[in-house]
Amino acid sequence: MEPVIHFAPYTGWVYPNETVFEWSVLIAVYPYLTGLVAGAFTVSSLYQVFGFERLKPVAHMALLTSLSFMIFVPTPLLLHLGHPERAFNSTITPHLTSAMAMFGFFASFYVALLILEGWFAYRPFIVAQAQKRTDLLGRFYRLLTLGSYDVSEHAMRYDRKWIFALAVIGIPAAHGLHGYVGFMYGSLKSREWWSSDLMPVIFLFSAIISGVSLLAVLYVATCKMRKIAVDLGCLKGLAYTIWAFIMVALVLEGLEFANIVYKGREGVDMIMQYVTGPLLVPYFVLQFGIGAITPFLWLSYMIWRGTSGKALIVGVTICACLVLFSVFMMRWNVVIGGQEISKTGKGLLSYHMPFWGKEGAFMAIALTLAPLGLLYVLTRLFPPWSDAATHAHS
Amino acid sequence: MTKESKPTLAARRAFLTKLGGAATCAAAGAAALAAIPGASAKTEPAADGAAFPTKDYDWTKHQWGFGVDATKCIGCLRCVEACKRENDVPANAHQFRTWVERYVHLEGDDEVHIDSQQDPVNIEASGSEKTFRFANRYKDAKVYKAFFVPKLCNHCTHPACVQVCPTGATYRTEDGVVLIDHGYCIGCRYCVQACPYGARYFNEEQGVSDKCTWCYHRITKGLQPACVEVCPVGARIFGDQRDKESPISLFIRNNRVQVLRPETGNAPNVFYVGIDKEVN
């Protein structure tokens, strides 16, 4: 039987209780999934609220993606809890000073909002299917109509008002949800690496680029799978969005790091030893160099040169994959990195991630990919393609 | 020499009879305790469910406080072992409710060397993760300055752990002790992360966070915390801050005390004497 305690090797001076890593890779997966939700919703809002017409082909996909990932957001947390059966204690009797206690409310509200907005967006499709189908699936769609078969122009206008309103509310809800995840780390004064006012906004902008990148990858992949041409205008729209937000994300993260170094408070020597040592590759090379600066330069080049056709598709897809990787590394470097720097400011620990087990690498990968499975099912039930006859609201 | 009166003789005889009886009982008791491994070090049962919460204890009438006189600590680690036994802290070298830090300055070396009982070198010296001792690792070096610092939960007035607990399972009592309701804790470990002092650990077998309670089950009965009770040099001081003549009140009054990491705003209630600038 494997030992219950996995203690971490360390150098220098660390508190005895710190030699056990309490927040595993799953706690890095949690903000990663939440970020993808917020980012995907941003794309939906850019179309629904701000009228970015070129993003129409991915607008419905964005909603479904956001919902699929949101449903899986609590899973890494539940797996991590010592008493998952008591998880609702924080919702039934929330401790109001706790950032974490509000999670259940924010998340539930946001899931409800997504389902409602999705329902309005897909209502014409649901009604059509309910009337057309006679099989079991027909019964499912009939149930989903909630008894409303009115798809007249008057009813549609009413629906569109709701979609707009929900999309408007969804913007602060999605971004608030993710900014708040950043606050959960930034508000802790026990670790210099976390304790930053910039943390919520850093989380937010990295979330946006990750969600938009996910949609870019999903859009290209689904076009290939469905053997239809990629709408280059839409892809360019996504690329511009990534490019614009990646700049902000980079500036914020740069400022955050500069602040830590420039203020040079107690423990900064250990942080410098850490970032130039164990964190050199994950932080500077993977997260910044390969994951953020490379796609930024590549996207800049493509925008400058007006790249089009296959080069654009390949370029944007690779850049989007790099951004997805970069944002995961950012979550890793915050959650795991924060714990690798001892609270004493005089020692470093090293986290060893097991492959198997409740909180191992396999589980982390499975939980990150699981929403894609749900997304596949949802796209079968509610086709998000604007080219197909989905009759969804546009 | 005057002849002793009869009542005096009778009283002395009665006293000796009682003494004999007490000695017999003590011997029998000691033998019985010796038969139970580890129990002989205790002065009270570890977890007497029936006796806790203590009857007639009024938590509005006390304000507990803890003092550490680092100048007295000899690093014997009896406190650590007593705490582990008293509170069923897992018998390993990674989870502690209290610990002792050793600070050593060597001649010609600007850097301070810090270790605690969990250090692999010290564990090797003790021979197990159940008993603890500091290895004599500096015997061949020229020590310029060295001292020990006992550490434990600071039972802060504004505890970061209580602030972040999503369920309110950890809370501050009226008498100034930060406790955890193990029946309500969900095991998220946010409190472990939030504590700037590293005072909390996660009990994997029970699935809940844990930390020092100042032996709440003992102090509410008028006893001392286990670590205070066993300290052979009086380096740990405990008492009621409301009682101006209590050991802790006298300790605070008669010394220039300081707390750890005051900049956090946590307002700790463990007061230190004799610690150096490196201690945090």
Side-chain angles (χ1 to χ4, degrees):
Chain A
M1 198 176 145
E2 61 175 346
V4 178
I5 305 295
H6 304 277
F7 80 94
Y10 62 90
T11 55
W13 161 239
V14 307
Y15 291 130
N17 287 333
E18 278 190 294
T19 55
V20 181
F21 260 73
E22 293 305 353
W23 279 0
S24 68
V25 62
L26 291 192
I27 304 301
V29 168
Y30 155 67
Y32 188 55
L33 295 183
T34 321
L36 293 171
V37 171
F41 193 83
T42 306
V43 175
S44 162
S45 302
L46 285 175
Y47 171 71
Q48 303 281 9
V49 180
F50 300 105
F52 279 46
E53 280 298 320
R54 57 163 62 180
L55 296 182
K56 187 180 168 185
V58 287
H60 282 78
M61 173 90 109
L63 263 187
L64 293 188
T65 307
S66 206
L67 181 62
S68 303
F69 278 82
M70 192 61 218
I71 285 169
F72 277 91
V73 160
T75 51
L77 295 181
L78 284 173
L79 274 171
H80 175 74
L81 289 185
H83 280 280
E85 79 283 2
R86 294 180 190 166
F88 281 108
N89 283 5
S90 66
T91 315
I92 302 163
T93 54
H95 187 224
L96 298 177
T97 62
S98 169
M100 199 183 271
M102 294 300 110
F103 174 73
F105 296 103
F106 287 155
S108 313
F109 172 76
Y110 188 60
V111 168
L113 184 136
L114 277 174
I115 290 175
L116 200 58
E117 188 178 339
W119 183 76
F120 275 114
Y122 276 96
R123 217 171 64 77
F125 174 76
I126 292 168
V127 170
Q129 296 296 310
Q131 286 167 338
K132 195 167 71 184
R133 287 178 175 268
T134 51
D135 54 1
L136 196 68
L137 218 49
R139 192 172 285 183
F140 168 71
Y141 287 115
R142 277 193 289 284
L143 196 71
L144 279 188
T145 61
L146 303 178
S148 167
Y149 288 83
D150 184 0
V151 284
S152 64
E153 187 45 42
H154 175 71
M156 290 296 100
R157 236 192 341 264
Y158 181 76
D159 282 10
R160 273 196 291 272
K161 267 188 197 164
W162 267 92
I163 292 170
F164 184 80
L166 289 167
V168 169
I169 299 166
I171 298 169
H175 299 138
L177 179 76
H178 198 72
Y180 141 86
V181 171
F183 179 75
M184 275 174 55
Y185 297 97
S187 63
L188 291 186
K189 50 195 170 188
S190 56
R191 296 187 189 280
E192 186 70 3
W193 193 240
W194 288 348
S195 179
S196 162
D197 301 343
L198 283 176
M199 200 59 101
V201 252
I202 288 174
F203 264 71
L204 196 51
F205 281 94
S206 58
I208 293 171
I209 56 172
S210 71
V212 182
S213 298
L214 175 67
L215 274 174
V217 175
L218 284 176
Y219 178 58
V220 173
T222 51
C223 284
K224 295 287 164 204
M225 281 159 71
R226 296 169 62 230
K227 295 186 175 58
I228 60 160
V230 174
D231 180 339
L232 292 179
C234 174
L235 196 63
K236 259 190 188 166
L238 291 171
Y240 285 147
T241 316
I242 298 169
W243 183 77
F245 283 114
I246 209 172
M247 262 193 291
V248 186
L250 271 170
V251 167
L252 284 171
E253 292 216 36
L255 280 174
E256 153 82 2
F257 186 65
N259 260 301
I260 291 177
V261 177
Y262 201 81
K263 283 176 185 164
R265 286 190 286 229
E266 195 183 0
V268 73
D269 295 338
M270 199 42 68
I271 289 179
M272 292 311 291
Q273 197 180 316
Y274 181 58
V275 292
T276 52
L279 209 62
L280 187 68
V281 172
Y283 192 58
F284 288 114
V285 178
L286 299 179
Q287 183 189 331
F288 280 108
I290 295 174
I293 294 170
T294 305
F296 174 68
L297 294 177
W298 195 343
L299 288 171
S300 304
Y301 177 80
M302 287 191 291
I303 290 166
W304 172 48
R305 302 297 295 175
T307 308
S308 193
K310 200 172 179 190
L312 180 76
I313 298 171
V314 172
V316 172
T317 310
I318 294 175
C319 285
C321 288
L322 289 176
V323 170
L324 281 170
F325 172 68
S326 167
V327 174
F328 180 78
M329 284 314 297
M330 181 264 175
R331 310 299 191 234
W332 173 278
N333 291 333
V334 168
V335 177
I336 303 299
Q339 294 175 92
E340 285 190 329
I341 306 169
S342 170
K343 288 175 183 173
T344 61
K346 297 183 178 74
L348 296 176
L349 296 117
S350 58
Y351 171 66
H352 168 72
M353 177 170 57
F355 186 77
W356 300 109
K358 197 164 68 111
E359 299 196 42
F362 180 79
M363 186 58 83
I365 295 167
L367 287 181
T368 310
L369 297 180
L372 295 176
L374 178 63
L375 181 63
Y376 176 77
V377 175
L378 286 180
T379 55
R380 304 296 288 180
L381 290 170
F382 308 103
W385 332 117
S386 60
D387 49 286
T390 57
H391 303 295
H393 277 286
S394 55
Chain B
M1 202 174 173
T2 54
K3 198 180 170 186
E4 283 174 334
S5 64
K6 270 191 179 177
T8 317
L9 276 172
R12 190 176 292 172
R13 200 172 296 125
F15 170 70
L16 287 173
T17 312
K18 277 184 190 166
L19 195 67
T24 314
C25 289
L33 281 173
I36 310 164
S40 53
K42 297 179 185 176
T43 51
E44 275 292 303
D48 191 347
F52 189 79
T54 311
K55 214 176 160 190
D56 302 328
Y57 175 74
D58 186 353
W59 71 2
T60 61
K61 292 202 166 79
H62 305 275
Q63 198 62 47
W64 302 110
F66 202 105
V68 173
D69 189 345
T71 59
K72 287 183 179 168
C73 181
I74 55 172
C76 69
L77 297 169
R78 286 188 67 186
C79 49
V80 174
E81 292 180 6
C83 172
K84 282 236 176 193
R85 287 184 192 174
E86 178 69 22
N87 297 296
D88 290 329
V89 178
N92 63 50
H94 308 285
Q95 295 167 311
F96 298 94
R97 284 186 175 204
T98 187
W99 66 97
V100 178
E101 298 170 1
R102 171 167 65 177
Y103 292 74
V104 177
H105 293 263
L106 299 176
E107 271 183 26
D109 188 354
D110 289 340
E111 222 170 282
V112 60
H113 300 263
I114 314 170
D115 66 349
S116 187
Q117 74 275 350
Q118 106 287 1
D119 189 286
V121 174
N122 296 331
I123 291 299
E124 203 184 324
S126 76
S128 88
E129 293 195 2
K130 290 177 182 163
T131 54
F132 301 98
R133 78 167 57 152
F134 279 105
N136 195 6
R137 64 203 295 177
Y138 302 110
K139 64 182 173 194
D140 298 325
K142 288 202 167 172
V143 174
Y144 176 70
K145 176 181 176 183
F147 57 95
F148 294 101
V149 180
K151 290 273 189 86
L152 66 159
C153 170
N154 284 285
H155 295 273
C156 308
T157 304
H158 307 295
C161 54
V162 170
Q163 183 185 35
V164 302
C165 175
T167 62
T170 189
Y171 57 97
R172 190 162 186 269
T173 60
E174 289 277 321
D175 46 0
V177 184
V178 176
L179 297 177
I180 304 167
D181 182 346
H182 285 168
Y184 209 69
C185 172
I186 60 174
C188 67
R189 294 162 246 189
Y190 202 14
C191 57
V192 180
Q193 301 292 0
C195 175
Y197 307 101
R200 287 180 171 240
Y201 67 92
F202 183 69
N203 187 322
E204 298 216 9
E205 278 174 17
Q206 293 177 18
V208 292
S209 292
D210 195 34
K211 66 162 200 74
C212 161
T213 62
W214 279 347
C215 286
Y216 201 67
H217 58 289
R218 290 172 58 90
I219 61 173
T220 51
K221 286 181 201 146
L223 298 166
Q224 294 279 301
C227 59
V228 177
E229 180 107 7
V230 300
C231 180
V233 292
R236 290 174 180 250
I237 298 101
F238 183 79
D240 187 352
Q241 294 185 73
R242 290 256 177 99
D243 174 2
K244 295 304 165 202
E245 295 306 315
S246 71
I248 188 63
S249 296
L250 293 173
F251 180 74
I252 294 169
R253 192 198 304 167
N254 297 332
N255 293 288
R256 302 290 89 81
V257 296
Q258 64 186 100
V259 295
L260 301 175
R261 297 183 190 270
E263 74 281 2
T264 59
N266 282 15
N269 284 297
V270 175
F271 304 94
Y272 282 84
V273 161
I275 56 174
D276 217 344
K277 58 185 169 35
E278 301 89 2
V279 181
N280 57 21

